[in-house]
Amino acid sequence: MQKRELLYEGKAKRLYLTDNKDLVISEFKDDLTAFNGEKKSSEVGKGALNNKISTELFKLLEENGIQTHFVEMLDDNHMLHKKVDVILIEVIVRNIATGSLTRNLGIEDGTLLPFTLVEFDYKNDDLGDPKLNDQHALILGLVEYQDELDKLRRMARQVNDILRPYFFEKGLNLVDFKLEFGKDSSGNIILVDEISPDNCRFWDVESGEKMDKDRFRQGLGGLAVAYEQVLNRILSK
C-alpha cells in the first residue's frame, strides 16, 4: 500500500491518502509538543516507538472486542488504518490523580481515585482543549445523540478494564490516558489515533518512575529510553 497526497498534519503524525478510499496511512513523527504546543522539541526514534506500541495495543484491544481503526503496521513509522470521521472529543480516563486533575481540583498528586473517572475535552487547539459536559457536546454538534456520548464513556471504560490489569502485570500503573474516536464508513464508532506514552501516563509499580511524555513536560530527560522500556515490557511474555 503506497501513500499518496498528504491529507492532514498534526502534532505527532502525518496522514496520507492511499489508492483505497477507505484506508489511509499515518506517519508517526519524532516531534514532541506539550502545553498546547507551547513547548516543542523532537526525539529521534520516538515516532517508531509509538507506532510499535500502538500496534501491539490495538491488536490486544481488537482481540478483546474493541473495534479500532487499525489494519496493519507497514514499517517502523507507518501504520495503515481505516479512514474515519474523527469525533472532536478527547476522552480522558483517570485512575490516579495527577496533572490537571490535581491542579484544578486540589486532589493530592498520586491519589488513587475511588472509581475510574471519565472526562470529555473539546478537541480544539485554538481554545486550549476546554472541558466539556454532555450538553456542551450536543450544542456544538460534536455528536448527534446522547447515546453516542454514553457509548464513548462505555468504550473508554472497556479499554481501561483491558489495559489497566494488562499493564499492571508488566509492572506499570496506568495512571490516566486520552482516547480519540471516529465513525467509520458504516457509521460505527471505533477507537482511533494512537495508544502510546504520548497520550498515556505510565508509572513504574515499584519505583514510581514516570515512563511517558511527562519526562518531556517536566524536563526529566531519557524519554526515548522510557518509551523503549514500555515497548519491551509489552513485548515480554
Side-chain angles (χ1 to χ4, degrees), residues 34 66 99 103 108 111 130 145 148 153 161 179 194 208 211 215-216 219 229:
I66 303 295
R103 293 193 302 272
E108 185 177 354
T111 300
Y145 309 107
E148 293 178 320
R153 285 195 180 90
D161 288 344
L179 298 175
E194 66 181 278
M211 312 285 285
R215 302 198 69 85
F216 170 64
Q229 288 185 31

Side-chain angles (χ1 to χ4, degrees), residues 10 48-50 54 99-100 129 137 140 142 153 159 161 182-183 185 189 195 220 237:
L49 288 166
N50 280 349
S54 295
S100 62
D129 300 333
L140 291 169
L142 304 181
R153 285 195 180 90
V159 170
D161 288 344
K183 292 185 178 180
S185 58
I189 293 177
I195 305 177
L220 301 176
K237 302 301 182 184

Side-chain angles (χ1 to χ4, degrees), residues 216-228:
F216 170 64
R217 294 186 187 99
Q218 299 174 14
L220 301 176
L223 180 137
V225 172
Y227 282 33
E228 188 166 8

